[in-house]
């Protein structure tokens, strides 16, 4: 049974998530603040953490940093803040995804399923990936249909494909593909994503697999089948 730690200072949200997750066969623990969350995580070792950013004692980013000091447990952030800066900071600190309050239970459960499915996959399963009409072999760097990519396009695409469903922040992509000194060159990302969509999406102007979350980052959405 998958263990989920829910961290939020709103009792009604804790109650709603506990009931809905338990009904779907998750084992659930709750924490009303950051200090309690860090202690429970150390003692209970959850498989997933759902974390509100606005906690009474610690900022949510501090909790993420505390967890990342010793565990790679997936973290889904809940945020009621309209400013995307806090969400970006959370992603850069090590969060795996985010959901904005108010949220639907169905939306959150879909993110939970995606994260737990991703973390349960053996690494070797990611060697070959289906993207729309194309089969992409990441080991041999080949794409069906004779599609060719530049080395930079490959690097960008591979980061997304090896993290299916996960939101990858702009800053992380810029660091990994171009280096630390390019952290603010977000136009690079827009340019290369446009190139990848032209080569891989059926309708580049209406992408269904290579998705942008404005101000936040990019996500590879696999086919539902």
């Amino acid at each position: 049974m998958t263990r989920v730690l829910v961290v939020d200072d709103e009792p009604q949200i804790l109650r709603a998530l506990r009931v809905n997750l338990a009904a779907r066969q998750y084992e659930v623990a709750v924490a009303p603040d950051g200090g309690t969350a860090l202690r429970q995580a150390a003692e209970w070792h959850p498989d997933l953490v759902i974390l509100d950013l606005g906690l009474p004692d610690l900022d949510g980013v501090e909790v993420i940093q505390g967890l990342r000091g010793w565990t790679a447990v997936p973290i889904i952030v809940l945020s009621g803040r309209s400013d995307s800066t806090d969400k970006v900071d959370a992603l850069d600190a090590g969060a795996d995804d985010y959901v904005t309050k108010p949220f639907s239970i169905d939306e959150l459960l879909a993110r939970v399923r995606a994260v737990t499915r991703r973390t349960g996959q053996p690494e070797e399963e990611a060697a070959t990936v289906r993207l729309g009409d194309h089969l992409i072999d990441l080991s041999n760097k080949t794409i069906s249909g004779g599609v060719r990519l530049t080395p930079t396009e490959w690097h960008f695409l591979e980061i997304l494909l090896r993290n299916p469903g996960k939101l990858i922040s702009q800053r992380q992509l810029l660091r990994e593909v171009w280096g630390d000194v390019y952290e603010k060159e977000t136009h690079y990302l827009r340019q290369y994503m446009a190139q990848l969509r032209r080569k891989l999406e059926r309708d580049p102007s209406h992408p269904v697999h290579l998705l942008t979350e404005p101000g936040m980052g990019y996500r590879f959405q696999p086919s539902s089948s």
Side-chain angles (χ1 to χ4, degrees):
M1 185 178 291
T2 301
R3 293 181 166 194
V4 181
L5 174 60
V6 181
V7 188
D8 201 299
D9 62 339
E10 297 183 49
Q12 62 271 31
I13 288 183
L14 289 181
R15 186 165 51 250
L17 291 183
R18 181 197 286 147
V19 168
N20 279 278
L21 288 165
R24 290 161 177 84
Q25 307 305 308
Y26 293 96
E27 187 175 352
V28 186
V30 298
D33 56 63
T36 303
L38 290 172
R39 288 192 297 273
Q40 284 201 352
E43 295 169 2
W44 195 53
H45 295 280
D47 300 303
L48 170 70
V49 176
I50 299 174
L51 173 69
D52 181 29
L53 286 184
L55 298 172
D57 57 343
L58 298 173
D59 186 82
V61 172
E62 293 179 278
V63 177
I64 296 168
Q65 291 168 338
L67 290 169
R68 286 292 173 257
W70 64 275
T71 179
V73 63
I75 301 169
I76 298 176
V77 161
L78 303 179
S79 175
R81 303 170 184 175
S82 57
D83 187 356
S84 66
T85 302
D86 294 308
K87 300 169 193 169
V88 170
D89 289 343
L91 290 168
D92 287 334
D96 293 84
D97 211 336
Y98 80 96
V99 175
T100 301
K101 293 181 176 179
F103 57 87
S104 73
I105 289 293
D106 287 343
E107 177 190 8
L108 179 60
L109 290 172
R111 298 292 174 88
V112 167
R113 288 192 298 272
V115 167
T116 52
R117 185 166 57 242
R118 196 162 61 236
T119 56
Q121 289 179 335
E123 189 68 26
E124 59 268 23
E125 287 188 5
T128 304
V129 179
R130 168 70 62 180
L131 195 163
D133 297 326
H134 302 284
L135 192 63
I136 302 173
D137 186 332
L138 294 172
S139 297
N140 296 312
K141 295 191 182 303
T142 60
I143 302 178
S144 64
V147 175
R148 295 185 180 277
L149 301 183
T150 68
T152 302
E153 288 171 342
W154 268 113
H155 197 176
F156 189 168
L157 180 65
E158 185 169 2
I159 293 169
L160 297 177
L161 296 187
R162 291 200 181 278
N163 295 277
K166 179 178 180 179
L167 176 62
I168 309 295
S169 73
Q170 293 177 337
R171 193 175 304 169
Q172 179 182 344
L173 282 164
L174 287 166
R175 282 176 178 167
E176 292 195 28
V177 178
W178 286 275
D180 290 345
V181 296
Y182 293 90
E183 277 188 10
K184 297 183 179 179
E185 307 293 338
T186 55
H187 62 283
Y188 285 14
L189 300 175
R190 292 192 294 273
Q191 174 187 336
Y192 276 86
M193 179 57 83
Q195 292 170 194
L196 288 170
R197 285 173 176 155
R198 282 196 295 271
K199 293 180 177 183
L200 297 171
E201 291 275 5
R202 290 182 183 175
D203 182 354
S205 61
H206 297 90
V208 295
H209 298 292
L210 300 174
L211 306 181
T212 300
E213 300 218 10
M216 301 289 296
Y218 298 87
R219 188 192 305 269
F220 164 55
Q221 188 61 49
S223 300
S224 55
S225 56

